[in-house]
């Protein structure tokens, strides 16, 4: 009985660390990492874990973080319409495959035992999937489903918070850029320097590598 109590205590401690690390993560990338690494904790025993998010443009699942398997680098894609991990995206529910080889949607890979796929929801929208796999057939039970459901929910909350903070930061940057531009317009008399300042600020604000600004020459009607 002592061994059972000790194992339960270790698992509770691991769950507390998982929740704390997800909540403390700064930015989406840290949220993904905290989720997969927290679930890998020895006391929890999940060896193959990955977080994938949906590319709105293509419907592909994009790998954001993983542990335990060679699923490819961050950014690895799984095409829409393929794989077991797409199912939560279609109905917003957890899906359990006790034997992945018996599933018609299964795509052969390095882990071919059992798999749990859970939706990651942000503001009512399924934005990704938490996929947890085992080399053993029917390796997951009710306690696992409860733990993984809670982890997926916490991940969704943390992603939503990170996105909100990023949106607020962008709005603050945009407001500052507007005020700085207005100051340039009122304080700079040389047109070329004014345009250069505006362009450089736009490049920084948009996070791009460069840009051009051209004016129409009234004599030639060409862009200069």
């Amino acid at each position: 009985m002592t061994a059972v109590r000790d194992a339960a205590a270790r698992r509770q401690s691991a769950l507390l660390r998982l929740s704390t690390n997800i909540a403390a993560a700064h930015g989406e990338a840290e949220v993904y990492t905290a989720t997969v690494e927290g679930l890998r904790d020895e006391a929890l025993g999940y060896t193959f874990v990955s977080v994938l998010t949906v590319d709105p443009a293509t419907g592909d699942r994009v790998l954001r973080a993983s542990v335990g398997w060679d699923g490819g680098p961050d950014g690895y894609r799984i095409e829409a319409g393929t794989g077991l991990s797409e199912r939560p995206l279609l109905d917003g529910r957890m899906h359990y495959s006790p034997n992945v080889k018996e599933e018609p949607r299964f795509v052969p890979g390095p882990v071919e035992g059992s798999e749990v796929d859970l939706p990651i929801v942000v503001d009512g929208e399924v934005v990704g999937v938490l996929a947890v796999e085992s080399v053993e057939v029917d390796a997951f039970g009710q306690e696992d489903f409860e733990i993984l459901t809670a982890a997926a929910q916490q991940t969704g909350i943390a992603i939503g918070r990170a996105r909100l903070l990023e949106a607020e930061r962008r709005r603050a940057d945009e407001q500052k850029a507007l005020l700085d531009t207005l100051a340039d317009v009122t304080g700079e008399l040389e047109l070329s320097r004014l345009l250069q300042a505006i362009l450089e600020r736009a490049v920084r604000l948009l996070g791009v590598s460069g840009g051009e600004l051209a004016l129409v020459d009234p004599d030639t009607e060409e862009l200069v």
Side-chain angles (χ1 to χ4, degrees), residues 134-179:
S134 173
V135 294
E136 299 178 5
V137 171
D138 203 11
F140 300 92
Q142 185 59 40
E143 184 179 11
D144 299 304
F145 302 150
E146 292 174 0
I147 290 172
L148 297 175
T149 296
Q153 291 172 344
Q154 291 170 347
T155 300
I157 292 170
I159 291 173
R161 185 186 67 247
R163 291 183 176 181
L164 179 61
L165 291 174
E166 176 62 19
E168 291 293 337
R169 185 194 64 77
R170 284 199 302 269
R171 280 194 289 269
D173 288 346
E174 290 168 358
Q175 184 177 34
K176 183 177 185 303
L178 176 60
L179 293 174

Side-chain angles (χ1 to χ4, degrees), residues 49-60:
V49 186
S50 59
V51 171
L52 306 101
T53 60
V54 182
D55 182 341
T58 64
D60 294 349

Side-chain angles (χ1 to χ4, degrees), residues 19-216:
S19 299
T20 301
N21 290 339
I22 291 176
H26 297 287
E28 284 192 52
E30 287 191 18
V31 173
Y32 305 141
T33 301
T35 298
V36 298
E37 292 188 351
L39 289 172
R40 183 179 55 174
D41 190 290
E42 183 178 352
L44 298 178
Y46 302 116
T47 307
F48 307 98
V49 186
S50 59
V51 171
L52 306 101
T53 60
V54 182
D55 182 341
T58 64
D60 294 349
R61 275 146 290 151
V62 183
L63 182 66
R64 298 302 185 185
S66 66
V67 293
W69 63 285
D70 186 16
D74 291 355
Y76 172 81
R77 288 176 174 264
I78 302 175
E79 291 185 2
T82 64
L84 298 178
S85 60
E86 186 176 50
R87 296 171 299 174
L89 303 180
L90 302 177
D91 60 13
R93 298 166 51 200
M94 182 193 79
H95 287 265
Y96 177 43
S97 303
N99 187 343
V100 295
K101 293 182 180 179
E102 296 178 352
E103 298 286 348
R105 297 178 64 93
F106 175 63
V107 176
V111 184
E112 298 186 355
S114 49
E115 180 174 337
V116 185
D117 297 291
L118 306 100
I120 296 174
V121 181
V122 175
D123 295 331
E125 178 185 0
V126 180
V127 301
V129 179
L130 172 63
V132 184
E133 303 168 75
S134 173
V135 294
E136 299 178 5
V137 171
D138 203 11
F140 300 92
Q142 185 59 40
E143 184 179 11
D144 299 304
F145 302 150
E146 292 174 0
I147 290 172
L148 297 175
T149 296
Q153 291 172 344
Q154 291 170 347
T155 300
I157 292 170
I159 291 173
R161 185 186 67 247
R163 291 183 176 181
L164 179 61
L165 291 174
E166 176 62 19
E168 291 293 337
R169 185 194 64 77
R170 284 199 302 269
R171 280 194 289 269
D173 288 346
E174 290 168 358
Q175 184 177 34
K176 183 177 185 303
L178 176 60
L179 293 174
D180 289 345
T181 300
L182 290 174
D184 286 340
V185 169
T186 57
E188 180 58 65
L189 299 179
E190 184 178 337
L191 180 60
S192 62
R193 290 173 59 183
L194 172 60
L195 296 179
Q196 184 65 32
I198 293 173
L199 179 60
E200 291 176 357
R201 191 165 293 116
V203 167
R204 288 197 302 272
L205 187 62
L206 295 173
V208 295
S209 57
E212 296 178 350
L213 192 154
L215 299 178
V216 176

